[in-house]
Amino acid sequence: MPTLNWIGKDAVEHHHAEVPYRLVHCDGDLSAGDPDAGNLLVQGDNLEALKALMPYYGGQVKCIYIDPPYNTGNEGWVYNDNVASPEIKAWLGKVVGKEADDLSRHDKWLCMMYPRIRLLREFLANDGVFFASCDENEFHSFRLLLDSIFKPHSYATTLVWNTEGNTDNQFQFKVNHEYILVYFADQRYKKYAVGNVIDPNTPEDSNLRAGFADNNITKNGVKNPPSIVSFPAGFPASVDQLSLSTEQVDRAFFERTKADVLISKSIQAEYGISQIPVRLDDMEIVDGRLTKPCRLYSGWANARKLAAFLENGCQPVQEGEDEIT
């Protein structure tokens, strides 16, 4: 897979393991709420804080969201976003050594981020999810950095966040969005980690809000050549009761449709086909299930998945790496 390299990478790849453990001291004067609730607000270098919390929460966190410095280069903001604060400079000089003098702004940012993300990864439970905000300044390098730590197959998606910020600017391109990168701790658990995630601006009547796509399994087109599939007794139907007789079809119909690699509407009309799929046996449905086998002729939306569903006794099929064993 593609890898990301930068000046100082060798020095920080294993630095998270070298950070010493520290004790977290409770400040009673600043504390509030139930002391036994387990809630903490930690002030300090996040690298040291993460290492201090690791013995208590390692492998147990279900959700992590971080909003790291975007590395915009702006030194006059609330904090220095040019990775040039005295604390970071001192840390880079200590960890990276003399090579730190040659670091670009982006090298510095990657050196700072890598050990912190490595530690955060170790906090996640198997069914945990990781969210990280960023903008275009480091989006591409951040994605590769996270891929190297979480592994590419654990990448879930990139959410686009409409910030509506800085709309009164004079830039040629008016940028009003940022990104949130999403990773699963273990991609095998991804269906358990989050529910149906949807943009809140999506209209209420959109099919996206259904959560479950009820798609037709038939599809006629040159990429979906027609074939005969035998549906067994017990196959689930979308209606409770139905009784239909065999469709009487001229043999030439099959020859034409196989040659054309589809069942067109004109061919349906020519041969008097009432509907697709074409029934080659009587179809009877009672209590939402086929009572006896029925052969159907059609193009299929996904013949491979349909075959797997039938082979699995008409039970949902978990595919490949998504299956938890």
Side-chain angles (χ1 to χ4, degrees):
M1 73 175 192
T3 58
L4 180 66
N5 197 19
W6 67 90
I7 298 175
K9 179 179 180 180
D10 291 342
V12 299
E13 274 191 300
H14 303 288
H15 180 66
H16 64 284
E18 301 166 0
V19 177
Y21 290 98
R22 288 175 169 80
L23 292 175
V24 177
H25 299 285
C26 177
D27 189 328
D29 294 335
L30 296 177
S31 297
D34 182 359
D36 298 322
N39 299 313
L40 293 175
L41 180 63
V42 181
Q43 179 180 355
D45 185 307
N46 56 12
L47 187 62
E48 296 178 357
L50 288 171
K51 197 61 178 281
L53 295 173
M54 182 63 68
Y56 304 98
Y57 302 104
Q60 301 180 55
V61 178
K62 294 293 187 73
C63 179
I64 292 176
Y65 168 73
I66 65 170
D67 186 16
Y70 285 4
N71 200 16
T72 62
N74 186 355
E75 296 189 19
W77 196 43
V78 178
Y79 60 83
N80 188 311
D81 199 20
N82 196 25
V83 203
S85 68
E87 295 83 4
I88 288 296
K89 283 183 176 180
W91 180 82
L92 288 169
K94 179 180 178 181
V95 175
V96 180
K98 294 182 179 180
E99 207 174 26
D101 296 335
D102 300 323
L103 298 180
S104 72
R105 184 180 105 216
H106 300 286
D107 293 323
K108 295 175 185 176
W109 189 85
L110 289 166
C111 284
M112 177 191 71
M113 292 297 294
Y114 189 90
R116 290 160 171 81
I117 301 296
R118 281 290 283 106
L119 283 177
L120 284 169
R121 171 66 183 82
E122 294 182 15
F123 276 90
L124 283 175
N126 286 336
D127 58 347
V129 191
F130 175 85
F131 299 84
S133 288
C134 66
D135 69 3
E136 68 275 5
N137 283 285
E138 294 292 353
F139 175 79
H140 294 90
S141 57
F142 199 20
R143 170 72 192 274
L144 287 173
L145 181 76
L146 293 173
D147 277 355
S148 69
I149 293 173
F150 284 88
K151 307 310 176 187
H153 59 261
S154 292
Y155 167 75
T157 192
T158 298
L159 303 173
V160 179
W161 175 34
N162 185 350
T163 65
E164 291 294 347
N166 203 23
T167 55
D168 189 28
N169 63 56
Q170 300 302 311
F171 297 130
Q172 182 178 6
F173 294 100
K174 316 298 185 184
V175 177
N176 68 336
H177 65 273
E178 297 175 3
Y179 307 98
I180 301 177
L181 290 158
V182 186
Y183 283 78
F184 294 111
D186 187 330
Q187 58 88 30
R188 296 177 301 166
Y189 290 80
K190 62 185 179 183
K191 72 174 185 176
Y192 302 101
V194 295
N196 297 314
V197 181
I198 184 171
D199 186 333
N201 296 313
T202 302
E204 290 294 332
D205 59 351
S206 171
N207 286 336
L208 291 173
R209 290 193 176 276
F212 177 79
D214 188 8
N215 295 322
N216 198 319
I217 62 174
T218 61
K219 186 174 184 179
N220 287 296
V222 293
K223 294 183 178 180
N224 307 88
S227 62
I228 298 174
V229 173
S230 181
F231 290 78
F235 187 85
S238 59
V239 296
D240 290 331
Q241 308 289 327
L242 187 67
S243 181
L244 297 171
S245 60
T246 303
E247 189 96 44
Q248 300 302 317
V249 185
D250 190 303
R251 185 176 183 84
F253 167 78
F254 296 101
E255 296 174 355
R256 284 278 303 278
T257 53
K258 287 184 178 180
D260 292 352
V261 202
L262 60 83
I263 305 175
S264 65
K265 290 184 178 180
S266 60
I267 292 179
Q268 281 184 247
E270 181 179 345
Y271 287 92
I273 302 300
S274 62
Q275 62 184 38
I276 302 297
V278 181
R279 297 180 306 280
L280 305 183
D281 299 298
D282 293 343
M283 176 185 287
E284 184 180 63
I285 296 171
V286 176
D287 295 331
R289 301 270 177 179
L290 278 177
T291 61
K292 56 184 178 180
C294 180
R295 292 171 300 152
L296 298 176
Y297 181 70
S298 175
W300 306 102
N302 195 314
R304 181 182 62 81
K305 287 185 177 180
L306 175 58
F309 181 74
L310 295 174
E311 291 173 5
N312 199 42
C314 301
Q315 296 298 314
V317 178
Q318 200 84 46
E319 287 195 293
E321 294 180 330
D322 289 340
E323 186 171 4
I324 302 173
T325 57

